Amino acid sequence: MSTRESTVTSSLQRAPSRLDYEMVVGLEVHVQLLTRTKAFCRCSTEFGAPPNVQVCPVCLGLPGALPVLNEHVVDLAIRAALALDCRVHLVSVFARKNYFYPDLPKGYQISQYDRPLATAGRLTIEGDRGDAPASVGITRLHIEEDAGKSVHDRFPTLTAIDLNRAGVPLIEIVSEPDIRSSRAAGAYLRSLKQLLEFLEVSDVSMEEGSLRVDANISARRVGASQLGTKTEVKNLNSFSAVERALDAEFARQCGILDAGQRVIQQTMLWDAVTASVRPARTKEESHDYRYFPEPDLPPLVLELDRVETIRRELPELPAKRRARYRETLGLSPYDADVLTATKALGDYFEEVVRHHRDAKAAANWVMGEVRAALNASKIDIAHFPVRAADLGELLDLVRDDVLSGTAAKRVFAVMAQTGERASQIAQREALVQVRDDSALRGWIDEVVAEHPKEIARYAGGEQKLLGVLVGFVMKKSSGRADPKRVNQLLVERLGA
């Protein structure tokens, strides 16, 4: 090999690649709390109102208007902090975060800075696809108000401002930089969303802006302990967008480091159309916001009894519910995961079990027919016409051989349309299972007469045709015949 070839080969072997770098991610999640009124005034938080109608002197920052803290905001924030295993501080301080955007009428945002409501928490993400459970640290959880909204697509050359969101209560949940892949970031966000939904502290709707994510990401050499220079990626409107944006920004940073250049700390915007990130502005530091204590609000002082009461009232959280489904109800890990996808679905399933007792049968119907009907009708379980008690009655009818499985599905389809009880539909539609031997033998006689070729083949040793013949009898009876008894009578008849 020539000296030049050796030099080129050595250079190629030393060339860094994305495999030489490690992704380091921390996430900032803003969650709108489930209150009827704003954080510091009595304006409504209802989504979808006409622009600029849910405003008052307080959320507009007019002279002389003073904020008053919404007590329910504090309780919901404590609830979330405790569920995330945070330390809730009995004294926290509101601060003014100063910056100037068109949709921030006061010129500052009321937030918390050096003395937040809660710190040092943790969220455990259960393993996916064989991965072991992972734990992500929570740096802080604090209360703040939202800004308004800039609308860029209403007029061709103008930006419109809607201040209905100004003052809407938020909690910001800041993670430690413990996340090492885009997939892990998605898993963390899905776990956090599910937890907050179970707690009923937010409707966590990304479509309505109730949950928003900013992702901080840096790249460093594999094995390095020092963090690299981070950038913050914004404009992320779905969890899949977070994952795609992190991969794109990681690739960009790796390219910069490969070229021997320095990553600049800045805010990046994700463009879903081009699947790329672009710089928006230099990333602000804390000192850029000129934080100082909010002079119009005293420190937030909590009583320990209040915090402990909220702790005792926490609902069963997703991980514990999944474990109970596996250990107490005997469900598979897959079934337990599906049935705890939302609190409402799990509550519905448990109500069915209370009425029917057979957890596996209830799980199969809820995961199958119920979810299919919900997807087809595009409604949530809270508005589903089939009440859990009525589904339990339907399953009782199947267990007691009053309805066949086929007939039960026909009854369920009507229930999903009308909300009627299963027994009423079964009687009206003449779907009650027939177990009278004389009626069953009549249908069997007709099938034997109509299918001589199949009968001859069965007699010749094709035992699998028995199932076909049972199917013919079921069809002739419109699904009302008891299939178990039909099978027995057919064997007797054909054996004779």
Side-chain angles (χ1 to χ4, degrees), residues 455-487:
I455 298 299
R457 289 167 57 195
Y458 176 81
E462 293 189 45
Q463 299 295 311
K464 64 182 180 181
L465 284 174
L466 181 63
V468 175
L469 295 170
V470 171
F472 288 151
V473 176
M474 296 302 298
K475 183 176 181 181
K476 187 167 286 292
S477 69
S478 300
R480 292 183 296 140
D482 179 352
K484 295 178 183 177
R485 187 57 180 157
V486 167
N487 195 297

Side-chain angles (χ1 to χ4, degrees), residues 181-485:
S181 70
S182 60
R183 197 177 99 190
Y188 168 85
L189 291 171
R190 292 179 181 91
S191 295
L192 180 60
K193 178 178 183 292
Q194 185 184 52
L195 179 71
L196 295 170
E197 184 184 40
F198 267 64
L199 293 169
E200 297 179 336
V201 301
S202 174
D203 62 16
V204 288
S205 170
M206 294 193 80
E207 294 80 8
E208 297 181 3
S210 300
L211 189 151
R212 303 195 298 272
V213 181
D214 297 332
N216 294 295
I217 175 174
S218 63
R220 66 181 178 188
R221 289 278 189 173
V222 172
S225 58
Q226 185 175 353
L227 295 176
T229 301
K230 69 178 180 181
T231 58
E232 183 180 34
V233 185
K234 290 182 175 287
N235 199 32
L236 304 169
N237 58 9
S238 70
F239 295 160
S240 62
V242 172
E243 295 181 26
R244 294 170 63 206
L246 287 174
D247 285 334
E249 174 60 8
F250 181 59
R252 187 188 74 88
Q253 291 190 19
C254 290
I256 291 172
L257 297 174
D258 283 351
Q261 300 174 357
R262 185 172 59 88
V263 174
I264 298 173
Q265 183 170 332
Q266 56 189 339
T267 298
M268 312 295 292
L269 294 180
W270 166 246
D271 188 331
V273 176
T274 62
S276 61
V277 289
R278 57 182 174 82
R281 61 181 184 273
T282 302
K283 172 65 179 157
E284 295 92 343
E285 299 282 3
S286 296
H287 61 77
D288 293 319
Y289 293 117
R290 295 178 293 117
Y291 283 99
F292 61 86
E294 168 57 68
D296 293 332
L297 287 169
L300 175 58
V301 180
L302 303 174
E303 294 181 357
L304 182 59
D305 286 348
R306 179 179 181 180
V307 175
E308 292 307 313
T309 297
I310 293 173
R311 188 191 303 275
R312 287 193 298 270
E313 293 173 349
L314 288 177
E316 182 183 44
L317 299 180
K320 287 188 177 180
R321 178 173 278 196
R322 283 191 290 270
R324 178 167 60 85
Y325 285 3
R326 294 191 301 265
E327 296 163 9
T328 305
L329 300 181
L331 299 183
S332 69
Y334 174 80
D335 290 356
D337 286 346
V338 172
L339 292 168
T340 55
T342 66
K343 182 177 184 296
L345 186 67
D347 290 345
Y348 183 91
F349 160 71
E350 293 198 28
E351 187 69 15
V352 176
V353 174
R354 274 192 286 273
H355 285 86
H356 177 61
R357 303 298 180 188
D358 186 337
K360 182 56 180 175
N364 289 341
W365 274 79
V366 172
M367 292 191 300
E369 279 70 22
V370 171
R371 291 176 70 222
L374 292 173
N375 291 335
S377 58
K378 293 182 171 54
I379 60 174
D380 58 52
I381 195 76
H383 300 100
F384 190 44
V386 182
R387 291 166 297 185
D390 292 340
L391 179 56
E393 179 195 33
L394 176 64
L395 299 187
D396 287 347
L397 295 176
V398 176
R399 179 198 60 207
D400 297 338
D401 291 330
V402 175
L403 288 177
S404 68
T406 302
K409 291 181 179 180
R410 291 173 59 184
V411 169
F412 179 81
V414 178
M415 294 171 70
Q417 292 294 323
T418 66
E420 292 179 86
R421 292 183 58 186
S423 55
Q424 295 173 334
I425 299 168
Q427 291 293 340
R428 185 181 69 239
E429 302 294 330
L431 293 172
V432 174
Q433 192 157 269
V434 177
R435 286 178 284 176
D436 178 67
D437 282 1
S438 61
L440 298 178
R441 285 193 175 99
W443 286 320
I444 289 171
D445 288 343
E446 292 178 28
V447 167
V448 170
E450 293 170 4
H451 299 278
K453 292 182 180 179
E454 286 79 2
I455 298 299
R457 289 167 57 195
Y458 176 81
E462 293 189 45
Q463 299 295 311
K464 64 182 180 181
L465 284 174
L466 181 63
V468 175
L469 295 170
V470 171
F472 288 151
V473 176
M474 296 302 298
K475 183 176 181 181
K476 187 167 286 292
S477 69
S478 300
R480 292 183 296 140
D482 179 352
K484 295 178 183 177
R485 187 57 180 157

Side-chain angles (χ1 to χ4, degrees), residues 6-216:
S6 176
T7 302
V8 171
T9 301
S10 175
S11 176
L12 288 174
Q13 289 172 343
R14 292 197 308 270
S17 71
R18 286 183 59 178
L19 296 177
D20 295 310
Y21 297 99
E22 179 181 50
M23 181 188 295
V24 179
V25 174
L27 297 173
E28 300 173 8
V29 181
H30 296 81
V31 180
Q32 179 178 335
L33 297 174
L34 201 58
T35 61
R36 291 193 298 272
T37 56
K38 294 184 180 181
F40 302 109
C41 67
R42 297 181 63 84
C43 290
S44 172
T45 59
E46 183 180 359
F47 178 79
N52 298 308
V53 298
Q54 296 174 176
V55 293
C56 73
V58 173
C59 49
L60 290 176
L62 299 183
L66 296 176
V68 177
L69 179 59
N70 184 336
E71 186 175 7
H72 192 40
V73 168
V74 178
D75 287 342
L76 293 178
I78 294 171
R79 190 176 173 90
L82 292 173
L84 287 166
D85 201 25
C86 290
R87 178 187 176 192
V88 176
H89 300 287
L90 298 183
V91 179
S92 58
V93 175
F94 287 99
R96 288 190 181 182
K97 181 180 181 181
N98 296 274
Y99 60 99
F100 299 94
Y101 284 172
D103 53 14
L104 191 71
K106 295 195 292 280
Y108 63 85
Q109 176 190 33
I110 299 178
S111 182
Q112 293 185 313
Y113 176 48
D114 56 340
R115 299 187 68 180
L117 175 72
T119 56
R122 191 154 294 279
L123 177 64
T124 299
I125 306 166
E126 292 194 7
D128 179 37
R129 298 179 231 175
D131 294 344
S135 185
V136 176
I138 305 296
T139 307
R140 57 188 283 138
L141 181 152
H142 64 260
I143 301 170
E144 63 185 20
E145 63 178 345
D146 206 352
K149 181 179 180 182
S150 296
V151 183
H152 304 291
D153 57 359
R154 189 69 61 88
F155 305 103
T157 59
L158 299 174
T159 294
I161 303 296
D162 179 6
L163 296 176
N164 282 345
R165 289 196 66 89
V168 163
L170 306 175
I171 51 173
E172 182 174 353
I173 302 168
V174 181
S175 84
E176 293 285 335
D178 292 342
I179 300 168
R180 295 293 178 265
S181 70
S182 60
R183 197 177 99 190
Y188 168 85
L189 291 171
R190 292 179 181 91
S191 295
L192 180 60
K193 178 178 183 292
Q194 185 184 52
L195 179 71
L196 295 170
E197 184 184 40
F198 267 64
L199 293 169
E200 297 179 336
V201 301
S202 174
D203 62 16
V204 288
S205 170
M206 294 193 80
E207 294 80 8
E208 297 181 3
S210 300
L211 189 151
R212 303 195 298 272
V213 181
D214 297 332
N216 294 295

